[in-house]
Amino acid sequence: MSEDQPVFEEKQYLGYNGLSMMRRLLLGLFCFAVYWWKTQNGMNGDLFFWLGIAVIVLSIILLFVLHIKISVFRHFIVLDGLWTTRKVKIDLKNIVKVERTTYSKYHLNNPVFNLHMKGMVRFYTGGNDCIEITDRDGLPYRIGTQRPGELEYILKGLTDKKD
């Protein structure tokens, strides 16, 4: 395998985030409920009907909007985000610990990219599991993933090989 080919690659899309999906579902249901109530009471509720349709269309579009692309190469990890975010490159030579853990004790979390909070760098779109890697400086990176077992196996294999 060549140096420029990723060993592991995963794409995560904004539309699959549970908290955002719940918000859009509730907003759409509210719009359709108000539309139904207004039509039952002889009022015009067309605006709420079209708002509900717009929320559904937005939800469908967000299923195709890339939030995070995780690429693991032999010597580094590249985390690429939305249009305006910078690529984050983590050198595997500096990684001292790789472990699989749950992302948060809460089930619904906001999607984040390169969020520095409470001494930790977070990358998350959806799911419950993540891989936590710690560099030599003691800075932990928490990377949410849909395939935590595979990512952990590959990272442990690559960090054990000290060239």
Side-chain angles (χ1 to χ4, degrees), residues 51-73:
L51 281 173
I53 295 295
V55 169
I56 291 172
V57 169
L58 177 67
S59 294
I60 291 170
I61 291 170
L62 284 176
L63 292 174
F64 301 102
V65 175
L66 182 67
H67 182 239
I68 297 176
K69 180 180 176 187
I70 303 169
S71 301
V72 178
F73 296 89

Side-chain angles (χ1 to χ4, degrees), residues 14-64:
L14 272 177
Y16 293 102
N17 178 268
L19 181 60
S20 300
M21 194 179 300
M22 184 71 68
R23 285 183 199 146
R24 290 189 309 271
L25 174 68
L26 291 174
L27 182 61
L29 286 174
F30 172 77
C31 288
F32 289 126
V34 171
Y35 166 73
W36 176 82
W37 180 80
K38 282 189 157 251
T39 56
Q40 292 298 315
N41 290 316
M43 294 184 265
N44 187 358
D46 290 349
L47 176 64
F48 288 103
F49 175 77
W50 291 111
L51 281 173
I53 295 295
V55 169
I56 291 172
V57 169
L58 177 67
S59 294
I60 291 170
I61 291 170
L62 284 176
L63 292 174
F64 301 102

Side-chain angles (χ1 to χ4, degrees), residues 108-121:
L108 299 172
N109 296 292
N110 283 318
V112 294
F113 184 85
N114 202 11
L115 175 68
H116 294 255
M117 188 172 79
K118 297 181 183 175
M120 182 176 293
V121 183

Side-chain angles (χ1 to χ4, degrees), residues 68-109:
I68 297 176
K69 180 180 176 187
I70 303 169
S71 301
V72 178
F73 296 89
R74 291 187 176 274
H75 301 291
F76 54 89
I77 302 169
V78 175
L79 299 158
D80 196 7
L82 281 171
W83 310 283
T84 59
T85 58
R86 294 186 206 161
K87 286 185 182 180
V88 175
K89 188 174 177 180
I90 303 169
D91 192 2
L92 290 177
K93 292 179 204 167
N94 295 330
I95 303 301
V96 294
K97 184 173 94 173
V98 176
E99 69 177 328
R100 180 178 175 178
T101 183
T102 57
Y103 178 77
S104 172
K105 62 182 178 181
Y106 306 109
H107 179 67
L108 299 172
N109 296 292

